Amino acid sequence: MLQRNVLPMLLARRSCRCLTAVTPGRAELQLKAAVTRCCSTVQGEVRVRFAPSPTGFLHLGGLRTALYNYIFAKKYGGSFILRLEDTDRTRLVPGAAESIEDMLEWAGVPPDESPCRGGPVGPYLQSQRLDLYHQTAQQLMDAGHAYYCFCGSQRLELLKKEALRTGQTPRYDNRCRHLQAEQVQEKLAQGIPHVVRFRLELGVEPLQDLVFGWTHHDVAKVEGDPVVIKADGFPTYHLANIVDDHYMRISHVLRGSEWLISTSKHLLMYRALGWTPPTFGHLPLLMNKDGSKLSKRQGDLFIQSLKTDGVLPEALLDITTNCGSGFITNRMGRRINELISEFDPSKIITHSALLDTEKLPEFNRIHLQHHIEDEEKCCLLIKKLQDQLQQVYTAEIQDKEVLQEDYIRRVLNLRKCHISFLKDLLSPAYAYLWVRPSPSSQQVAALTTEPQHIASLVLKLISERGEELAVDSLSQDLKTLAKQAQSTKYGEVMKLLRLALSGLQQGPSVAEMMVSLGAAEISHRLQKLV
């Protein structure tokens, strides 16, 4: 149930905005209606839905819409429904429907009701609800709110060209509105292809949107009557979404702001059917950093692609909310429970959210660190890294000890503040952790004339310390040890040890390398210098 202090607060903020846009008399009536509506919403069951079309795979923009719906539902003890709007049969992508639900599960925003999970108001695929749409369309026609239209594509194209030629916005001219009943029956009997159109009426009521406040769009003045049942018998979005929202008892519709202008059309349909519409909240769009629109052509922003690249689900939820609004604070590193507790609908602003994908590695680093510090999640990381290591370094690993759980856990904990993705540990910069290096005698000679002496000193130190190695204390020991070299400065001593241990000229500190490798492996690698 919604907390009682949230929507009244929303109402107060939005009402102030509306008073400048409407006459005092109408404002008073609208305010009274809004109060009544908000009170009824507070007392009712919260049910929200994410309703993508499986004409493509889940994109970051879609995940953000699903996330806000999920957070809203969980904040107020409600239900989050996944409904797939698969009525555009020509554009369906095989496997997309199943993938969308799989990706929501992976991302940590699982639906309570869905095509896979089922639920009390299914089915959750629109293609399996056609009888309901036809029944509703017939109800609209019987009441005079809809009609058959027999205008073919050729005539519609001519209307469009003429409008463009005269500088007008293309729109249907509502010609078939005026057909007599006998004409309609004659055309039906002849089998002429047809659609069903909804009759738009003047005088749509203003809408109080949770985000945009009072809005008003008298759609009948600027648009022709919209198609609600296509020639193939499938409904358009305009009909299907209101029918499903009604019968699925959706209390709040939270969707992208691109649908705001269509909402007046939907409100006319609700009124024609005698149904109470849900509360609407239109979310500002997620845009690229430069203000351009996110595109499905940006393949690297598909959730499946991001998952394959090693991005953690928590990082995606964090970055998509961090760049937007609707929360008490704005900080990096929030997990889903914190997003839910800090969510405040009254703080959603109308400005588009600008997504800076260059920050994604930093978000992922923070959440990878959280995973490493969580025992259960760390075990999953270890298993995943073990599998990847055996694929990448199959023939090169000389000592299977590097695949042991304790060894990998030690590496993860030492590197957790420095890697953004688990796959970073498979890069050449970290190959020394898994494969023994083979530095040449020329490389060694370029650094010092006393490699045997230095190696002996370190071997003695390691023997004395045993397995009790710590980065800070070992770093101090190495500084002291370097003073015992006869003609090699501290910097060259460290370069020699780094070369012998990793074959590299840069990377983590020598002390950290030694702690990562462990006493036995250090000894094995330094023996080559003796």
Side-chain angles (χ1 to χ4, degrees), residues 312-418:
L312 295 172
E314 295 89 344
L316 291 181
L317 305 189
D318 196 5
I319 194 172
T320 53
T321 50
N322 182 270
C323 70
S325 57
F327 298 88
I328 298 170
T329 65
N330 191 32
R331 56 189 174 84
M332 298 175 71
R334 289 181 297 193
R335 287 164 273 199
I336 190 64
N337 59 323
E338 295 167 302
L339 290 173
I340 293 169
S341 65
E342 294 182 15
F343 181 62
D344 181 351
S346 70
K347 294 188 178 296
I348 301 176
I349 60 176
T350 59
H351 299 303
S352 297
L354 301 182
L355 175 69
D356 186 356
T357 54
E358 293 179 3
K359 293 181 179 179
L360 187 54
E362 177 62 13
F363 279 88
N364 209 66
R365 183 193 65 76
I366 292 170
H367 289 281
L368 181 58
Q369 183 174 343
H370 290 164
H371 276 229
I372 292 170
E373 294 169 352
D374 180 281
E375 178 61 29
E376 184 177 343
K377 291 178 180 177
C378 187
C379 287
L380 294 175
L381 291 176
I382 291 170
K383 178 66 171 65
K384 187 174 184 179
L385 190 55
Q386 286 171 330
D387 293 341
Q388 293 175 342
L389 285 168
Q390 293 183 80
Q391 292 175 17
V392 175
Y393 294 112
T394 306
E396 300 171 71
I397 294 176
Q398 299 101 326
D399 187 351
K400 297 298 182 183
E401 282 294 315
V402 299
L403 297 175
Q404 295 300 309
E405 183 176 321
D406 288 345
Y407 179 83
I408 294 178
R409 178 179 276 106
R410 185 165 71 239
V411 168
L412 289 173
N413 277 290
L414 286 167
R415 286 280 89 194
K416 66 185 179 183
C417 295
H418 305 279

Side-chain angles (χ1 to χ4, degrees), residues 260-498:
L260 181 59
I261 199 168
S262 296
T263 305
S264 58
K265 197 178 304 180
H266 303 156
L267 291 174
L268 285 173
M269 292 185 190
Y270 277 109
R271 187 170 73 184
L273 290 163
W275 296 344
T276 302
T279 298
F280 290 93
H282 288 85
L283 304 171
L285 296 179
L286 184 64
M287 312 284 278
N288 289 308
K289 182 174 65 172
D290 62 3
S292 62
K293 190 175 180 180
L294 282 185
S295 169
K296 289 188 177 180
R297 294 185 182 91
Q298 295 171 258
D300 55 347
L301 294 184
F302 284 106
I303 306 306
Q304 180 64 63
S305 175
L306 291 163
K307 176 187 177 186
T308 301
D309 286 343
V311 178
L312 295 172
E314 295 89 344
L316 291 181
L317 305 189
D318 196 5
I319 194 172
T320 53
T321 50
N322 182 270
C323 70
S325 57
F327 298 88
I328 298 170
T329 65
N330 191 32
R331 56 189 174 84
M332 298 175 71
R334 289 181 297 193
R335 287 164 273 199
I336 190 64
N337 59 323
E338 295 167 302
L339 290 173
I340 293 169
S341 65
E342 294 182 15
F343 181 62
D344 181 351
S346 70
K347 294 188 178 296
I348 301 176
I349 60 176
T350 59
H351 299 303
S352 297
L354 301 182
L355 175 69
D356 186 356
T357 54
E358 293 179 3
K359 293 181 179 179
L360 187 54
E362 177 62 13
F363 279 88
N364 209 66
R365 183 193 65 76
I366 292 170
H367 289 281
L368 181 58
Q369 183 174 343
H370 290 164
H371 276 229
I372 292 170
E373 294 169 352
D374 180 281
E375 178 61 29
E376 184 177 343
K377 291 178 180 177
C378 187
C379 287
L380 294 175
L381 291 176
I382 291 170
K383 178 66 171 65
K384 187 174 184 179
L385 190 55
Q386 286 171 330
D387 293 341
Q388 293 175 342
L389 285 168
Q390 293 183 80
Q391 292 175 17
V392 175
Y393 294 112
T394 306
E396 300 171 71
I397 294 176
Q398 299 101 326
D399 187 351
K400 297 298 182 183
E401 282 294 315
V402 299
L403 297 175
Q404 295 300 309
E405 183 176 321
D406 288 345
Y407 179 83
I408 294 178
R409 178 179 276 106
R410 185 165 71 239
V411 168
L412 289 173
N413 277 290
L414 286 167
R415 286 280 89 194
K416 66 185 179 183
C417 295
H418 305 279
I419 58 173
S420 294
F421 302 92
L422 189 64
K423 66 180 180 181
D424 291 349
L425 293 174
L426 301 173
S427 69
Y430 291 110
Y432 72 90
L433 291 167
W434 327 110
V435 179
R436 288 168 180 161
S438 300
S440 68
S441 56
Q442 290 88 345
Q443 289 176 297
V444 173
L447 293 172
T448 181
T449 58
E450 51 179 335
Q452 298 88 351
H453 175 58
I454 295 171
S456 297
L457 290 173
V458 177
L459 288 169
K460 181 182 177 184
L461 172 65
I462 295 303
S463 175
E464 292 171 353
R465 294 288 181 269
E467 293 296 331
E468 298 298 319
L469 300 178
V471 174
D472 291 342
S473 58
L474 189 55
S475 181
Q476 287 300 120
D477 290 341
L478 290 174
K479 288 181 180 178
T480 302
L481 178 148
K483 295 176 182 178
Q484 300 176 49
Q486 297 169 358
S487 59
T488 310
K489 295 181 180 180
Y490 171 76
E492 275 62 45
V493 171
M494 291 301 104
K495 288 179 181 179
L496 174 68
L497 294 179
R498 183 185 299 280

Side-chain angles (χ1 to χ4, degrees), residues 158-173:
L158 287 173
L159 285 175
K160 179 179 178 181
K161 287 181 178 179
E162 179 61 20
L164 294 174
R165 187 185 67 80
T166 57
Q168 297 178 331
T169 302
R171 58 186 288 185
Y172 178 56
D173 61 0

